Amino acid sequence: MQRTAPRPPLRFSTQTLLLQLAVVLLVVLLSAAVHAWLTYDRVGSEAENRALTLARTVASDPSVRADVLAISRQEGTPPPSELAAGPLMQEAEAARIRTGALFVVITDETGLRLAHPDPLRLGEKVSTDPSEALAGREVTTRNTGTLGPSAGAKVPVYAPDSTSVVGEVSVGYSMETVGQSVARDIGPVAMTAAGALLAGVLGSFLLRRRLQRLTLGLEPEEISTLVHDQVAVLQGVDDGVIGVSADGRISVFNAAAQRLLGLPDLAGTAWENAPVPDQLKVLTRPGTSGGEAQELVAGGRVLVANARKALHRREDLGWVVMLRDRTELQELTRQLDAVGTMSTALRAQRHEFANQLHTLAGFMSIGQHGQAREYLAQLVATGPLKFPVEQVELLQDPYLQAFVGAKGVEADERGVALRIGPETLVRGQVTEAQDVTTVLGNLLDNAVNAAVAGSSGDRWVELEVLDEPGDDGGTLHVVVADSGDGLAEGTDAEQVFAEGFTTATGPVRAGGGQGFGLALARQLARRRGGDVKVLDRGSPGGPGAVFMATLPHTTAGSASRKGNDNDG
């Protein structure tokens, strides 16, 4: 037996539309019903009042009062034929025809009809209870009698010049007439209800369209899944993600973006007023194609940012800005360069050692043992490895010796002599190697580049390092000078620390990190409470510019070593 496939559930927007239509229809029907009932009750009350007025008029007629009294004094009730031709019948019918009432009935003190629209009913007991009217009270009623449903009134008939009740007058207007009046009034009500229903349908349809547009046609379950996925993805990635909506407000600012930029959650903030670097705002300006990477320094980090336009079915959703941290990558690249330089130097030494061994072997083979001993003594005096850095032994920290030595080898390959200044004295050990490497490496690289590009024939870079002890960690003072031509004329001393500023004469590779070294070094130093600044602008022909960096809380052990030295 083949099963029929189950019908797919209605879309949420369709369910909402149907529910709204049902609510609108129910409200319109209830409003129309209440209005019809109020109209029916109002028209019925008006009919009762007209019946009461007519009944009072008939009951207060002197001739009616006299005729009813006369009949009441007779023994028995006159026959119907006599009542039909009597004056009471004529009075009642005249009033009924004149006012359009359904009936005008006159009875005696026992409730027997003395006047009635149907002559065959004369002399009979009335179909409704006359006791209240015969007791002297006026009443209004809505009931069904021999002539059908009616709204009427009962009024007592008093004897002339007396308060004795001798009969009653009952007047009624047909409820069918009342219904016709209501039907005439209900027409505008029905038109109003139909207009309200049409307006409700149109409003529900427009609301459905807007709901579909706002939810991008997604169902609530899909939206819930997307929200969970968005939170999981945005908070689980190491890249910073900033979402800028089409109206220019930040809609997403994940934890990685907060960490990389050093800012709190800015969701809901206007993008143009947000305290983010201007380079990010430039990426989202009108006319920008997006997709191109932009390097910037923020929060002591070198970041690579790019922005892309977000579209959904041709609808502009805004921008997505991605942030990636290149600080560790640059540090790793710098360390790899140092290791590569060191490896090259070691390979050169290996060849040198091989040559020295061949020389020793030659002396031994020809029997020149004395010269071989002298040659070995010279080798022992020079040591197994010597960096091309003058006075490197002033740097007692092994990390600084290795790093500066590798930089000396690299500078030597470019024809630049790296030397340690006479004021250098480092007794402590470096505790923040990454920050020290970043700041010192950038200053030395810039100085070597300046020396190579300078007009002086004697190319050199001089480094002075001094550590100052402190209770919560020593401060490292670094001064770097070179033989270059100094800062270009017209270049402000603070301009060299701007992001993207470079004095490189060759083309700058996109994403290559050029123009961010000094900016990053200053941010790192200031984040630790120190600074990087220009001590001397230099002059054309040399010597070049002099830079100084202060790095607090980067060394340890200085105070104890100094104290021990003083004790000796």
Side-chain angles (χ1 to χ4, degrees):
M1 180 177 180
Q2 186 178 2
R3 294 185 177 181
T4 58
R7 292 184 177 180
L10 293 177
R11 298 182 63 84
F12 176 71
S13 57
T14 304
Q15 294 178 9
T16 304
L17 174 63
L18 295 178
L19 179 61
Q20 290 171 340
L21 292 179
V23 171
V24 170
L25 180 61
L26 179 62
V27 170
V28 169
L29 291 179
L30 287 177
S31 301
V34 170
H35 187 81
W37 168 251
L38 293 177
T39 302
Y40 180 83
D41 185 70
R42 176 180 57 81
V43 175
S45 298
E46 292 176 356
E48 290 175 355
N49 292 332
R50 290 200 305 270
L52 182 61
T53 301
L54 180 58
R56 287 173 177 173
T57 301
V58 174
S60 63
D61 190 320
S63 60
V64 172
R65 296 169 67 181
D67 292 339
V68 172
L69 178 61
I71 294 176
S72 298
R73 288 177 176 177
Q74 296 179 8
E75 293 184 3
T77 303
S81 57
E82 182 179 343
L83 292 174
L88 288 178
M89 187 67 173
Q90 295 176 1
E91 290 285 345
E93 283 299 295
R96 182 183 70 82
I97 295 172
R98 183 175 67 251
T99 59
L102 176 64
F103 60 84
V104 176
V105 177
I106 302 175
T107 69
D108 61 9
E109 75 281 4
T110 61
L112 297 179
R113 297 186 182 98
L114 303 180
H116 192 276
D118 186 1
L120 297 178
R121 303 289 184 180
L122 293 175
E124 297 178 358
K125 188 78 172 182
V126 292
S127 57
T128 57
D129 184 17
S131 58
E132 291 191 34
L134 294 177
R137 293 189 293 273
E138 296 179 347
V139 294
T140 56
T141 61
R142 292 186 190 181
N143 48 39
T144 301
T146 57
L147 297 177
S150 62
K154 295 180 182 294
V155 175
V157 177
Y158 296 98
D161 301 327
S162 175
T163 57
S164 299
V165 178
V166 294
E168 58 100 10
V169 175
S170 179
V171 177
Y173 285 90
S174 173
M175 291 301 293
E176 295 178 357
T177 305
V178 173
Q180 293 174 358
S181 299
V182 173
R184 287 194 303 268
D185 292 343
I186 208 68
V189 176
M191 294 293 294
T192 303
L197 181 61
L198 181 61
V201 170
L202 181 60
S204 299
F205 180 75
L206 294 178
L207 183 59
R208 175 176 179 267
R209 289 281 302 275
R210 177 168 175 78
L211 183 63
Q212 284 183 324
R213 186 168 61 253
L214 291 177
T215 60
L216 304 178
L218 299 176
E219 295 298 301
E221 297 81 3
E222 296 174 326
I223 296 175
S224 177
T225 302
L226 284 177
V227 171
H228 286 88
D229 292 345
Q230 180 194 45
V231 173
V233 172
L234 292 180
Q235 303 304 326
V237 297
D238 292 332
D239 293 344
V241 180
I242 303 175
V244 183
S245 61
D247 61 355
R249 293 196 169 272
I250 298 177
S251 56
V252 177
F253 202 84
N254 72 339
Q258 300 173 36
R259 174 177 55 84
L260 294 176
L261 296 177
L263 296 172
D265 190 0
L266 299 178
T269 306
W271 176 241
E272 288 298 326
N273 299 329
V276 299
D278 291 335
Q279 293 93 324
L280 296 181
K281 298 178 181 179
V282 171
L283 294 175
T284 61
R285 294 280 166 80
T288 305
S289 59
E292 296 182 359
Q294 173 75 33
E295 286 191 349
L296 66 147
V297 176
R301 301 174 183 271
V302 177
L303 305 179
V304 177
N306 65 333
R308 294 186 182 277
K309 198 71 173 175
L311 300 174
H312 179 77
R313 299 175 183 174
R314 299 183 180 179
E315 182 179 359
D316 184 5
L317 302 182
W319 290 88
V320 177
V321 180
M322 301 292 296
L323 299 174
R324 298 178 180 86
D325 189 0
R326 292 190 71 249
T327 306
E328 295 180 359
L329 180 59
Q330 281 197 347
E331 177 63 24
L332 180 61
T333 302
R334 189 178 302 280
Q335 292 178 359
L336 289 176
D337 290 342
V339 171
T341 303
M342 184 77 72
S343 176
T344 301
L346 290 175
R347 284 197 301 269
Q349 292 292 334
R350 181 177 63 82
H351 288 293
E352 183 180 354
F353 290 157
N355 293 331
Q356 292 171 352
L357 289 175
H358 287 306
T359 303
L360 285 172
F363 281 133
M364 298 297 292
S365 63
I366 62 177
Q368 299 293 331
H369 302 289
Q371 292 183 0
R373 282 194 297 272
E374 293 177 2
Y375 187 67
L376 282 175
Q378 293 177 2
L379 292 180
V380 171
T382 57
L385 178 64
K386 183 174 181 64
F387 289 117
V389 180
E390 299 177 14
Q391 300 185 21
V392 71
E393 63 276 2
L394 295 177
L395 302 173
Q396 297 185 14
D397 179 72
Y399 183 84
L400 285 178
Q401 283 188 5
F403 182 74
V404 174
K407 286 295 181 184
V409 174
E410 183 179 351
D412 186 64
E413 290 181 350
R414 301 182 64 183
V416 178
L418 177 59
R419 65 195 185 203
I420 305 299
E423 301 297 329
T424 295
L425 180 61
V426 178
R427 298 186 178 184
Q429 292 187 353
V430 173
T431 58
E432 299 292 337
Q434 183 172 353
D435 288 355
V436 171
T437 299
T438 301
V439 175
L440 182 56
N442 280 316
L443 293 179
L444 289 177
D445 288 344
N446 288 342
V448 171
N449 292 334
V452 172
S455 58
S456 174
D458 183 17
R459 298 177 178 178
W460 53 265
V461 172
E462 184 172 285
L463 168 66
E464 288 189 350
V465 186
L466 178 67
D467 65 333
E468 178 185 357
D471 296 335
D472 55 349
T475 300
L476 203 64
H477 301 276
V478 179
V479 178
V480 178
D482 59 71
S483 62
D485 294 332
L487 300 182
E489 185 177 356
T491 301
D492 185 73
E494 291 297 315
Q495 186 179 352
V496 298
F497 295 101
E499 298 175 16
F501 179 86
T502 179
T503 58
T505 56
V508 177
R509 176 173 55 88
Q514 296 184 5
F516 292 91
L518 288 177
L520 177 60
R522 169 173 273 190
Q523 283 204 15
L524 286 175
R526 287 183 173 178
R527 188 174 62 182
R528 306 192 64 86
D531 200 359
V532 177
K533 56 186 177 180
V534 179
L535 289 183
D536 192 340
R537 296 175 51 88
S539 58
V546 180
F547 286 82
M548 185 180 109
T550 305
L551 300 174
H553 318 302
T554 53
T555 62
S558 304
S560 60
R561 288 173 178 249
K562 185 174 182 180
N564 293 337
D565 292 344
N566 290 339
D567 292 341

